[in-house]
Short mmCIF file of all heavy atoms in Angstrom, two decimals:
data_model
loop_
_atom_site.label_atom_id
_atom_site.label_comp_id
_atom_site.label_asym_id
_atom_site.label_seq_id
_atom_site.Cartn_x
_atom_site.Cartn_y
_atom_site.Cartn_z
N MET L 1 118.63 103.19 78.37
CA MET L 1 119.40 102.02 78.15
C MET L 1 118.77 100.87 78.85
O MET L 1 118.30 101.01 79.95
CB MET L 1 120.84 102.24 78.66
CG MET L 1 121.65 100.99 78.64
SD MET L 1 123.33 101.26 79.24
CE MET L 1 124.22 101.52 77.77
N PHE L 2 118.77 99.70 78.22
CA PHE L 2 118.21 98.54 78.91
C PHE L 2 119.14 97.36 78.58
O PHE L 2 120.06 97.38 77.74
CB PHE L 2 116.81 98.19 78.39
CG PHE L 2 116.73 97.96 76.87
CD1 PHE L 2 116.91 96.68 76.34
CD2 PHE L 2 116.51 99.02 76.02
CE1 PHE L 2 116.87 96.42 75.00
CE2 PHE L 2 116.42 98.77 74.68
CZ PHE L 2 116.66 97.52 74.14
N TYR L 3 118.97 96.31 79.36
CA TYR L 3 119.83 95.12 79.19
C TYR L 3 118.98 93.96 78.69
O TYR L 3 117.97 93.67 79.24
CB TYR L 3 120.44 94.79 80.51
CG TYR L 3 121.21 95.92 81.13
CD1 TYR L 3 120.69 96.74 82.07
CD2 TYR L 3 122.55 96.16 80.69
CE1 TYR L 3 121.39 97.75 82.63
CE2 TYR L 3 123.27 97.23 81.28
CZ TYR L 3 122.66 97.99 82.15
OH TYR L 3 123.39 99.04 82.72
N LEU L 4 119.46 93.33 77.64
CA LEU L 4 118.78 92.14 77.08
C LEU L 4 119.42 90.96 77.85
O LEU L 4 120.58 90.83 77.94
CB LEU L 4 119.03 91.93 75.64
CG LEU L 4 118.39 93.03 74.71
CD1 LEU L 4 118.76 92.78 73.27
CD2 LEU L 4 116.91 92.93 74.85
N ALA L 5 118.56 90.09 78.36
CA ALA L 5 119.05 88.99 79.11
C ALA L 5 118.08 87.82 78.91
O ALA L 5 117.04 87.75 79.57
CB ALA L 5 119.17 89.33 80.56
N TYR L 6 118.35 86.92 77.99
CA TYR L 6 117.50 85.79 77.72
C TYR L 6 117.84 84.67 78.74
O TYR L 6 118.63 83.83 78.40
CB TYR L 6 117.63 85.37 76.32
CG TYR L 6 117.05 86.35 75.35
CD1 TYR L 6 117.80 87.32 74.73
CD2 TYR L 6 115.68 86.33 75.05
CE1 TYR L 6 117.27 88.24 73.83
CE2 TYR L 6 115.14 87.30 74.21
CZ TYR L 6 115.91 88.21 73.65
OH TYR L 6 115.36 89.15 72.72
N GLN L 7 117.21 84.73 79.88
CA GLN L 7 117.45 83.75 80.93
C GLN L 7 116.13 83.11 81.27
O GLN L 7 115.08 83.76 81.17
CB GLN L 7 118.04 84.35 82.18
CG GLN L 7 119.44 84.97 81.95
CD GLN L 7 119.93 85.69 83.19
OE1 GLN L 7 119.17 86.18 83.96
NE2 GLN L 7 121.26 85.75 83.29
N ARG L 8 116.12 81.91 81.74
CA ARG L 8 114.88 81.18 82.22
C ARG L 8 114.82 81.17 83.68
O ARG L 8 115.84 80.97 84.42
CB ARG L 8 114.93 79.71 81.65
CG ARG L 8 115.28 79.54 80.21
CD ARG L 8 114.13 79.69 79.29
NE ARG L 8 113.15 78.56 79.54
CZ ARG L 8 111.90 78.60 79.04
NH1 ARG L 8 111.55 79.63 78.29
NH2 ARG L 8 111.11 77.67 79.27
N PHE L 9 113.60 81.46 84.18
CA PHE L 9 113.35 81.52 85.59
C PHE L 9 112.07 80.75 85.87
O PHE L 9 111.13 80.73 85.10
CB PHE L 9 113.18 82.96 86.09
CG PHE L 9 114.42 83.70 86.15
CD1 PHE L 9 114.79 84.51 85.04
CD2 PHE L 9 115.25 83.74 87.23
CE1 PHE L 9 115.99 85.19 85.08
CE2 PHE L 9 116.36 84.50 87.27
CZ PHE L 9 116.78 85.21 86.19
N THR L 10 112.02 80.07 87.03
CA THR L 10 110.73 79.43 87.49
C THR L 10 110.17 80.36 88.55
O THR L 10 110.85 80.72 89.46
CB THR L 10 111.11 78.03 88.05
OG1 THR L 10 111.75 77.28 87.03
CG2 THR L 10 109.83 77.31 88.44
N LEU L 11 108.87 80.59 88.48
CA LEU L 11 108.17 81.39 89.40
C LEU L 11 107.73 80.70 90.63
O LEU L 11 107.10 79.55 90.50
CB LEU L 11 106.95 82.14 88.69
CG LEU L 11 107.29 82.93 87.47
CD1 LEU L 11 105.99 83.54 86.94
CD2 LEU L 11 108.30 84.05 87.80
N HIS L 12 107.95 81.28 91.79
CA HIS L 12 107.56 80.67 93.08
C HIS L 12 107.15 81.80 94.04
O HIS L 12 107.29 82.98 93.61
CB HIS L 12 108.76 79.94 93.72
CG HIS L 12 109.21 78.71 92.93
ND1 HIS L 12 108.52 77.57 92.82
CD2 HIS L 12 110.28 78.59 92.21
CE1 HIS L 12 109.18 76.77 92.08
NE2 HIS L 12 110.27 77.30 91.65
N HIS L 13 106.72 81.48 95.20
CA HIS L 13 106.51 82.43 96.31
C HIS L 13 105.37 83.43 95.97
O HIS L 13 105.48 84.61 96.28
CB HIS L 13 107.78 83.18 96.64
CG HIS L 13 108.99 82.34 96.88
ND1 HIS L 13 109.00 81.43 97.91
CD2 HIS L 13 110.15 82.17 96.18
CE1 HIS L 13 110.17 80.79 97.90
NE2 HIS L 13 110.85 81.17 96.85
N PHE L 14 104.28 82.99 95.35
CA PHE L 14 103.18 83.88 95.08
C PHE L 14 102.47 84.32 96.37
O PHE L 14 101.77 85.29 96.32
CB PHE L 14 102.19 83.13 94.17
CG PHE L 14 102.63 83.18 92.68
CD1 PHE L 14 103.52 82.31 92.24
CD2 PHE L 14 102.09 84.19 91.89
CE1 PHE L 14 103.91 82.33 90.89
CE2 PHE L 14 102.52 84.24 90.54
CZ PHE L 14 103.38 83.30 90.07
N ASP L 15 102.74 83.66 97.47
CA ASP L 15 102.10 84.03 98.73
C ASP L 15 102.69 85.35 99.28
O ASP L 15 102.09 85.98 100.16
CB ASP L 15 102.21 82.95 99.75
CG ASP L 15 103.67 82.51 100.04
OD1 ASP L 15 104.47 82.69 99.05
OD2 ASP L 15 103.95 81.97 101.09
N ARG L 16 103.77 85.79 98.72
CA ARG L 16 104.45 87.06 99.15
C ARG L 16 104.03 88.32 98.38
O ARG L 16 104.47 89.39 98.53
CB ARG L 16 105.97 86.94 99.06
CG ARG L 16 106.50 85.83 99.87
CD ARG L 16 108.00 85.77 99.74
NE ARG L 16 108.50 84.64 100.41
CZ ARG L 16 109.76 84.13 100.27
NH1 ARG L 16 110.60 84.77 99.50
NH2 ARG L 16 110.16 83.05 100.91
N VAL L 17 103.09 88.07 97.44
CA VAL L 17 102.67 89.17 96.52
C VAL L 17 101.27 89.71 97.01
O VAL L 17 100.43 88.92 97.49
CB VAL L 17 102.53 88.65 95.05
CG1 VAL L 17 102.06 89.72 94.13
CG2 VAL L 17 103.86 88.07 94.60
N GLU L 18 101.04 90.98 96.78
CA GLU L 18 99.77 91.54 97.20
C GLU L 18 98.60 90.87 96.49
O GLU L 18 98.70 90.41 95.32
CB GLU L 18 99.71 93.05 96.85
CG GLU L 18 100.80 93.90 97.49
CD GLU L 18 100.78 95.29 96.99
OE1 GLU L 18 100.00 95.64 96.11
OE2 GLU L 18 101.72 96.03 97.43
N PRO L 19 97.43 90.76 97.13
CA PRO L 19 96.31 90.05 96.52
C PRO L 19 95.84 90.60 95.17
O PRO L 19 95.52 89.78 94.27
CB PRO L 19 95.19 90.20 97.59
CG PRO L 19 95.89 90.41 98.84
CD PRO L 19 97.13 91.17 98.47
N VAL L 20 95.84 91.87 94.99
CA VAL L 20 95.46 92.47 93.69
C VAL L 20 96.43 92.10 92.60
O VAL L 20 95.99 91.67 91.47
CB VAL L 20 95.30 93.97 93.80
CG1 VAL L 20 95.01 94.65 92.45
CG2 VAL L 20 94.24 94.39 94.83
N THR L 21 97.69 92.15 92.95
CA THR L 21 98.73 91.77 91.92
C THR L 21 98.62 90.27 91.61
O THR L 21 98.77 89.87 90.49
CB THR L 21 100.12 92.15 92.46
OG1 THR L 21 100.17 93.52 92.73
CG2 THR L 21 101.20 91.83 91.38
N LEU L 22 98.38 89.51 92.66
CA LEU L 22 98.28 88.04 92.56
C LEU L 22 97.15 87.70 91.57
O LEU L 22 97.33 86.83 90.68
CB LEU L 22 98.07 87.39 93.89
CG LEU L 22 97.90 85.89 93.94
CD1 LEU L 22 99.17 85.21 93.44
CD2 LEU L 22 97.54 85.39 95.32
N THR L 23 96.01 88.33 91.72
CA THR L 23 94.89 88.07 90.78
C THR L 23 95.24 88.40 89.39
O THR L 23 94.93 87.63 88.48
CB THR L 23 93.69 88.89 91.26
OG1 THR L 23 93.36 88.56 92.61
CG2 THR L 23 92.49 88.61 90.39
N ARG L 24 95.92 89.53 89.16
CA ARG L 24 96.26 89.91 87.84
C ARG L 24 97.31 88.93 87.20
O ARG L 24 97.17 88.51 86.07
CB ARG L 24 96.89 91.30 87.87
CG ARG L 24 97.43 91.76 86.47
CD ARG L 24 96.41 91.95 85.45
NE ARG L 24 95.73 93.20 85.71
CZ ARG L 24 94.79 93.70 84.93
NH1 ARG L 24 94.41 93.02 83.85
NH2 ARG L 24 94.25 94.82 85.23
N LEU L 25 98.23 88.51 87.99
CA LEU L 25 99.20 87.53 87.53
C LEU L 25 98.58 86.18 87.11
O LEU L 25 98.92 85.56 86.08
CB LEU L 25 100.32 87.29 88.51
CG LEU L 25 101.25 88.44 88.81
CD1 LEU L 25 102.17 88.15 89.98
CD2 LEU L 25 102.03 88.87 87.63
N HIS L 26 97.66 85.69 87.93
CA HIS L 26 96.94 84.47 87.66
C HIS L 26 96.13 84.65 86.38
O HIS L 26 95.99 83.71 85.52
CB HIS L 26 96.05 84.06 88.79
CG HIS L 26 96.78 83.40 89.91
ND1 HIS L 26 97.42 82.21 89.80
CD2 HIS L 26 97.01 83.85 91.20
CE1 HIS L 26 98.01 81.92 90.92
NE2 HIS L 26 97.76 82.90 91.82
N ASN L 27 95.48 85.85 86.21
CA ASN L 27 94.70 86.06 84.97
C ASN L 27 95.57 86.07 83.71
O ASN L 27 95.11 85.72 82.63
CB ASN L 27 93.92 87.37 85.06
CG ASN L 27 92.82 87.39 86.03
OD1 ASN L 27 92.30 86.25 86.42
ND2 ASN L 27 92.41 88.47 86.49
N LEU L 28 96.84 86.37 83.86
CA LEU L 28 97.82 86.38 82.76
C LEU L 28 98.46 85.03 82.53
O LEU L 28 99.32 84.92 81.69
CB LEU L 28 98.90 87.48 83.00
CG LEU L 28 98.41 88.89 82.93
CD1 LEU L 28 99.50 89.83 83.44
CD2 LEU L 28 97.98 89.32 81.49
N GLY L 29 98.08 84.06 83.38
CA GLY L 29 98.59 82.71 83.19
C GLY L 29 99.86 82.43 84.00
O GLY L 29 100.57 81.42 83.73
N LEU L 30 100.17 83.26 84.92
CA LEU L 30 101.41 83.06 85.76
C LEU L 30 101.01 82.48 87.08
O LEU L 30 100.19 83.07 87.81
CB LEU L 30 102.13 84.37 85.95
CG LEU L 30 102.63 85.11 84.68
CD1 LEU L 30 103.25 86.45 84.99
CD2 LEU L 30 103.55 84.21 83.92
N HIS L 31 101.52 81.35 87.44
CA HIS L 31 101.24 80.74 88.70
C HIS L 31 102.45 79.95 89.12
O HIS L 31 103.47 79.88 88.42
CB HIS L 31 100.06 79.75 88.55
CG HIS L 31 100.11 78.82 87.45
ND1 HIS L 31 100.75 77.64 87.47
CD2 HIS L 31 99.58 78.90 86.20
CE1 HIS L 31 100.70 77.03 86.30
NE2 HIS L 31 99.94 77.73 85.48
N ASP L 32 102.39 79.36 90.29
CA ASP L 32 103.49 78.67 90.90
C ASP L 32 104.07 77.57 89.99
O ASP L 32 103.28 76.73 89.54
CB ASP L 32 103.12 78.10 92.27
CG ASP L 32 104.32 77.77 93.12
OD1 ASP L 32 105.35 78.34 92.92
OD2 ASP L 32 104.16 76.95 94.03
N GLY L 33 105.39 77.54 89.77
CA GLY L 33 105.98 76.53 88.92
C GLY L 33 106.09 76.79 87.51
O GLY L 33 106.72 75.99 86.76
N VAL L 34 105.53 77.94 87.02
CA VAL L 34 105.67 78.31 85.59
C VAL L 34 107.09 78.79 85.31
O VAL L 34 107.66 79.54 86.09
CB VAL L 34 104.60 79.40 85.25
CG1 VAL L 34 104.87 80.01 83.80
CG2 VAL L 34 103.26 78.85 85.29
N THR L 35 107.65 78.36 84.18
CA THR L 35 108.93 78.84 83.75
C THR L 35 108.77 79.92 82.68
O THR L 35 108.02 79.74 81.77
CB THR L 35 109.71 77.69 83.17
OG1 THR L 35 109.90 76.64 84.14
CG2 THR L 35 111.15 78.13 82.71
N VAL L 36 109.44 81.03 82.93
CA VAL L 36 109.31 82.24 82.08
C VAL L 36 110.70 82.61 81.57
O VAL L 36 111.75 82.16 82.12
CB VAL L 36 108.69 83.47 82.74
CG1 VAL L 36 107.23 83.14 83.19
CG2 VAL L 36 109.52 83.89 83.91
N THR L 37 110.79 83.34 80.43
CA THR L 37 112.04 83.86 79.93
C THR L 37 112.14 85.30 80.20
O THR L 37 111.27 86.06 79.88
CB THR L 37 112.10 83.59 78.37
OG1 THR L 37 111.89 82.19 78.11
CG2 THR L 37 113.39 84.01 77.78
N LEU L 38 113.28 85.70 80.78
CA LEU L 38 113.53 87.11 81.03
C LEU L 38 113.95 87.73 79.67
O LEU L 38 115.02 87.30 79.11
CB LEU L 38 114.58 87.30 82.08
CG LEU L 38 115.14 88.65 82.38
CD1 LEU L 38 114.00 89.56 82.93
CD2 LEU L 38 116.25 88.64 83.29
N ILE L 39 113.32 88.71 79.20
CA ILE L 39 113.64 89.31 77.88
C ILE L 39 114.47 90.57 78.09
O ILE L 39 115.49 90.80 77.47
CB ILE L 39 112.36 89.66 77.11
CG1 ILE L 39 111.57 88.34 76.88
CG2 ILE L 39 112.67 90.35 75.79
CD1 ILE L 39 112.21 87.33 76.02
N GLN L 40 113.99 91.50 78.89
CA GLN L 40 114.72 92.84 79.11
C GLN L 40 114.68 93.12 80.59
O GLN L 40 113.70 92.83 81.34
CB GLN L 40 114.03 93.93 78.36
CG GLN L 40 114.12 93.83 76.87
CD GLN L 40 113.42 95.02 76.18
OE1 GLN L 40 112.63 95.70 76.85
NE2 GLN L 40 113.65 95.18 74.96
N ARG L 41 115.72 93.77 80.99
CA ARG L 41 115.85 94.25 82.42
C ARG L 41 116.38 95.68 82.33
O ARG L 41 117.47 95.96 81.77
CB ARG L 41 116.85 93.40 83.23
CG ARG L 41 117.03 93.81 84.60
CD ARG L 41 117.95 92.92 85.27
NE ARG L 41 117.25 91.62 85.48
CZ ARG L 41 117.62 90.72 86.37
NH1 ARG L 41 118.61 90.96 87.22
NH2 ARG L 41 116.97 89.57 86.44
N TYR L 42 115.57 96.59 82.81
CA TYR L 42 115.92 98.03 82.77
C TYR L 42 116.76 98.41 83.99
O TYR L 42 116.53 97.88 85.06
CB TYR L 42 114.70 98.91 82.61
CG TYR L 42 114.01 98.76 81.29
CD1 TYR L 42 113.11 97.77 80.98
CD2 TYR L 42 114.33 99.72 80.24
CE1 TYR L 42 112.55 97.66 79.74
CE2 TYR L 42 113.76 99.59 79.01
CZ TYR L 42 112.88 98.60 78.79
OH TYR L 42 112.27 98.44 77.52
N PRO L 43 117.65 99.39 83.90
CA PRO L 43 118.49 99.72 84.98
C PRO L 43 117.74 100.48 86.09
O PRO L 43 116.60 100.90 85.88
CB PRO L 43 119.54 100.69 84.33
CG PRO L 43 118.89 101.24 83.15
CD PRO L 43 117.93 100.15 82.69
N PHE L 44 118.42 100.56 87.23
CA PHE L 44 117.90 101.30 88.40
C PHE L 44 116.55 100.70 88.93
O PHE L 44 115.64 101.45 89.28
CB PHE L 44 117.71 102.80 88.15
CG PHE L 44 118.94 103.48 87.58
CD1 PHE L 44 119.03 103.92 86.26
CD2 PHE L 44 120.11 103.54 88.37
CE1 PHE L 44 120.15 104.47 85.81
CE2 PHE L 44 121.23 104.12 87.87
CZ PHE L 44 121.28 104.63 86.59
N HIS L 45 116.46 99.41 88.91
CA HIS L 45 115.24 98.68 89.40
C HIS L 45 114.00 99.10 88.61
O HIS L 45 112.93 99.17 89.15
CB HIS L 45 115.11 98.89 90.92
CG HIS L 45 116.26 98.29 91.65
ND1 HIS L 45 116.36 96.98 91.92
CD2 HIS L 45 117.25 98.94 92.29
CE1 HIS L 45 117.41 96.81 92.63
NE2 HIS L 45 118.00 97.96 92.88
N GLY L 46 114.19 99.27 87.30
CA GLY L 46 113.08 99.62 86.42
C GLY L 46 112.30 98.35 86.09
O GLY L 46 112.57 97.24 86.67
N PRO L 47 111.41 98.40 85.22
CA PRO L 47 110.56 97.21 84.88
C PRO L 47 111.38 96.06 84.28
O PRO L 47 112.43 96.27 83.72
CB PRO L 47 109.48 97.73 83.93
CG PRO L 47 110.10 98.98 83.32
CD PRO L 47 110.98 99.56 84.39
N VAL L 48 110.81 94.89 84.40
CA VAL L 48 111.41 93.70 83.83
C VAL L 48 110.35 93.16 82.89
O VAL L 48 109.17 93.08 83.11
CB VAL L 48 111.68 92.65 84.94
CG1 VAL L 48 112.20 91.35 84.38
CG2 VAL L 48 112.66 93.25 85.95
N ILE L 49 110.87 92.77 81.65
CA ILE L 49 110.00 92.19 80.63
C ILE L 49 110.21 90.75 80.59
O ILE L 49 111.34 90.28 80.37
CB ILE L 49 110.29 92.86 79.20
CG1 ILE L 49 110.29 94.34 79.28
CG2 ILE L 49 109.30 92.28 78.15
CD1 ILE L 49 108.96 95.00 79.63
N ILE L 50 109.14 89.98 80.75
CA ILE L 50 109.22 88.49 80.73
C ILE L 50 108.34 87.95 79.59
O ILE L 50 107.49 88.70 79.13
CB ILE L 50 108.86 87.80 82.03
CG1 ILE L 50 107.37 88.15 82.43
CG2 ILE L 50 109.82 88.23 83.12
CD1 ILE L 50 106.86 87.31 83.53
N GLU L 51 108.52 86.73 79.16
CA GLU L 51 107.69 86.10 78.13
C GLU L 51 107.22 84.71 78.64
O GLU L 51 108.03 83.99 79.18
CB GLU L 51 108.49 85.95 76.84
CG GLU L 51 107.69 85.42 75.73
CD GLU L 51 108.42 85.36 74.40
OE1 GLU L 51 109.26 84.48 74.28
OE2 GLU L 51 108.17 86.24 73.55
N ASN L 52 105.97 84.50 78.47
CA ASN L 52 105.35 83.23 78.81
C ASN L 52 104.30 82.92 77.78
O ASN L 52 103.42 83.73 77.52
CB ASN L 52 104.68 83.33 80.23
CG ASN L 52 104.02 82.09 80.63
OD1 ASN L 52 104.54 80.96 80.36
ND2 ASN L 52 102.88 82.15 81.20
N SER L 53 104.41 81.76 77.15
CA SER L 53 103.44 81.29 76.10
C SER L 53 103.29 82.39 75.01
O SER L 53 102.16 82.73 74.64
CB SER L 53 102.11 81.00 76.79
OG SER L 53 102.20 79.97 77.74
N HIS L 54 104.38 82.89 74.49
CA HIS L 54 104.42 83.88 73.43
C HIS L 54 103.66 85.17 73.83
O HIS L 54 103.16 85.89 72.96
CB HIS L 54 103.77 83.30 72.12
CG HIS L 54 104.48 82.05 71.72
ND1 HIS L 54 105.78 82.02 71.18
CD2 HIS L 54 104.07 80.74 71.78
CE1 HIS L 54 106.06 80.81 70.93
NE2 HIS L 54 105.06 79.99 71.26
N GLN L 55 103.65 85.45 75.12
CA GLN L 55 103.06 86.69 75.61
C GLN L 55 104.09 87.46 76.45
O GLN L 55 104.65 86.84 77.34
CB GLN L 55 101.86 86.33 76.45
CG GLN L 55 101.24 87.48 77.18
CD GLN L 55 99.99 87.04 78.01
OE1 GLN L 55 98.95 87.11 77.48
NE2 GLN L 55 100.24 86.59 79.18
N ARG L 56 104.31 88.71 76.12
CA ARG L 56 105.29 89.50 76.87
C ARG L 56 104.59 90.31 77.91
O ARG L 56 103.59 90.95 77.63
CB ARG L 56 106.11 90.37 75.96
CG ARG L 56 107.07 89.54 75.07
CD ARG L 56 108.08 90.35 74.40
NE ARG L 56 108.93 89.40 73.60
CZ ARG L 56 110.08 89.79 73.03
NH1 ARG L 56 110.42 91.03 73.04
NH2 ARG L 56 110.80 88.93 72.39
N ILE L 57 105.17 90.28 79.13
CA ILE L 57 104.50 91.00 80.24
C ILE L 57 105.60 91.77 80.94
O ILE L 57 106.72 91.31 81.18
CB ILE L 57 103.93 89.89 81.22
CG1 ILE L 57 102.94 88.99 80.52
CG2 ILE L 57 103.35 90.55 82.43
CD1 ILE L 57 102.58 87.74 81.25
N ALA L 58 105.24 93.01 81.32
CA ALA L 58 106.13 93.85 82.07
C ALA L 58 105.76 93.80 83.59
O ALA L 58 104.61 93.86 83.92
CB ALA L 58 105.98 95.28 81.64
N LEU L 59 106.76 93.51 84.42
CA LEU L 59 106.54 93.43 85.80
C LEU L 59 107.45 94.46 86.54
O LEU L 59 108.55 94.77 86.06
CB LEU L 59 106.95 92.03 86.36
CG LEU L 59 106.13 90.82 85.88
CD1 LEU L 59 106.73 89.55 86.47
CD2 LEU L 59 104.69 91.00 86.29
N ARG L 60 107.00 94.86 87.71
CA ARG L 60 107.85 95.74 88.53
C ARG L 60 109.04 94.87 89.01
O ARG L 60 108.93 93.68 89.21
CB ARG L 60 107.10 96.25 89.78
CG ARG L 60 106.05 97.26 89.46
CD ARG L 60 105.36 97.69 90.69
NE ARG L 60 104.63 96.48 91.24
CZ ARG L 60 103.72 96.52 92.13
NH1 ARG L 60 103.38 97.66 92.65
NH2 ARG L 60 103.19 95.40 92.57
N HIS L 61 110.18 95.45 89.15
CA HIS L 61 111.38 94.82 89.60
C HIS L 61 111.12 94.02 90.89
O HIS L 61 111.55 92.86 91.07
CB HIS L 61 112.56 95.74 89.71
CG HIS L 61 113.86 95.12 90.10
ND1 HIS L 61 114.21 94.98 91.38
CD2 HIS L 61 114.78 94.47 89.37
CE1 HIS L 61 115.40 94.37 91.40
NE2 HIS L 61 115.74 94.03 90.16
N GLN L 62 110.46 94.70 91.83
CA GLN L 62 110.26 94.11 93.12
C GLN L 62 109.38 92.85 93.04
O GLN L 62 109.69 91.80 93.70
CB GLN L 62 109.55 95.15 94.03
CG GLN L 62 109.23 94.61 95.46
CD GLN L 62 108.48 95.61 96.20
OE1 GLN L 62 108.10 96.64 95.76
NE2 GLN L 62 108.27 95.27 97.48
N VAL L 63 108.34 92.85 92.23
CA VAL L 63 107.56 91.71 92.02
C VAL L 63 108.33 90.55 91.38
O VAL L 63 108.27 89.42 91.81
CB VAL L 63 106.26 92.02 91.18
CG1 VAL L 63 105.50 90.74 90.83
CG2 VAL L 63 105.37 93.06 91.89
N PHE L 64 109.11 90.85 90.39
CA PHE L 64 109.88 89.82 89.71
C PHE L 64 110.89 89.18 90.66
O PHE L 64 110.99 87.97 90.63
CB PHE L 64 110.62 90.43 88.48
CG PHE L 64 111.42 89.42 87.75
CD1 PHE L 64 110.84 88.41 86.98
CD2 PHE L 64 112.79 89.47 87.85
CE1 PHE L 64 111.63 87.48 86.34
CE2 PHE L 64 113.60 88.49 87.21
CZ PHE L 64 113.00 87.54 86.43
N THR L 65 111.61 89.98 91.39
CA THR L 65 112.64 89.41 92.32
C THR L 65 111.96 88.57 93.44
O THR L 65 112.57 87.64 93.94
CB THR L 65 113.52 90.45 92.91
OG1 THR L 65 112.77 91.48 93.57
CG2 THR L 65 114.37 91.18 91.90
N THR L 66 110.75 88.92 93.78
CA THR L 66 110.05 88.15 94.79
C THR L 66 109.65 86.76 94.23
O THR L 66 109.74 85.73 94.93
CB THR L 66 108.75 88.83 95.21
OG1 THR L 66 109.10 90.11 95.78
CG2 THR L 66 107.96 88.07 96.25
N LEU L 67 109.27 86.70 92.92
CA LEU L 67 108.73 85.46 92.36
C LEU L 67 109.77 84.56 91.72
O LEU L 67 109.63 83.37 91.64
CB LEU L 67 107.70 85.82 91.26
CG LEU L 67 106.46 86.55 91.64
CD1 LEU L 67 105.64 86.93 90.43
CD2 LEU L 67 105.71 85.71 92.62
N ALA L 68 110.85 85.13 91.20
CA ALA L 68 111.74 84.43 90.31
C ALA L 68 112.89 83.73 91.07
O ALA L 68 113.48 84.26 92.04
CB ALA L 68 112.40 85.36 89.27
N SER L 69 113.17 82.53 90.61
CA SER L 69 114.39 81.82 91.01
C SER L 69 114.80 80.95 89.88
O SER L 69 113.99 80.48 89.13
CB SER L 69 114.04 80.94 92.24
OG SER L 69 113.08 79.91 91.94
N LYS L 70 116.14 80.80 89.72
CA LYS L 70 116.65 80.02 88.58
C LYS L 70 116.45 78.52 88.82
O LYS L 70 116.36 78.07 89.88
CB LYS L 70 118.10 80.32 88.44
CG LYS L 70 118.34 81.59 87.65
CD LYS L 70 119.80 81.60 87.24
CE LYS L 70 119.97 82.77 86.25
NZ LYS L 70 121.24 82.86 85.73
#
């Protein structure tokens, strides 16, 4: 079971993410100040699916909660 939640979030706090993950996020076009749409949120702190520039990306729940703010 998953939850659909079309909400908009602005990404911040990239300094709190591991360097390897930070490099991958930057390669995917995610950087400080980018607004993304939350598409799906899986239960029990499962992955989170976001969309940016017509590209869907799965993030670990911990990474998303570190970066996202409304």
Side-chain angles (χ1 to χ4, degrees):
M1 173 182 264
F2 60 89
Y3 302 99
L4 292 176
Y6 291 94
Q7 298 174 333
R8 309 274 298 163
F9 289 90
T10 303
L11 302 181
H12 298 287
H13 311 296
F14 279 82
D15 55 336
R16 299 180 189 169
V17 179
E18 297 174 3
V20 174
T21 304
L22 179 64
T23 302
R24 175 65 80 178
L25 293 174
H26 283 295
N27 290 340
L28 292 170
L30 301 177
H31 50 82
D32 196 25
V34 168
T35 301
V36 298
T37 304
L38 174 65
I39 302 296
Q40 292 179 347
R41 181 178 290 204
Y42 288 86
F44 307 112
H45 298 283
V48 175
I49 310 297
I50 62 170
E51 184 174 76
N52 178 41
S53 300
H54 304 289
Q55 172 178 268
R56 290 192 177 189
I57 302 167
L59 296 176
R60 290 179 296 196
H61 182 266
Q62 179 184 6
V63 172
F64 179 74
T65 56
T66 301
L67 297 176
S69 64
K70 279 193 170 183

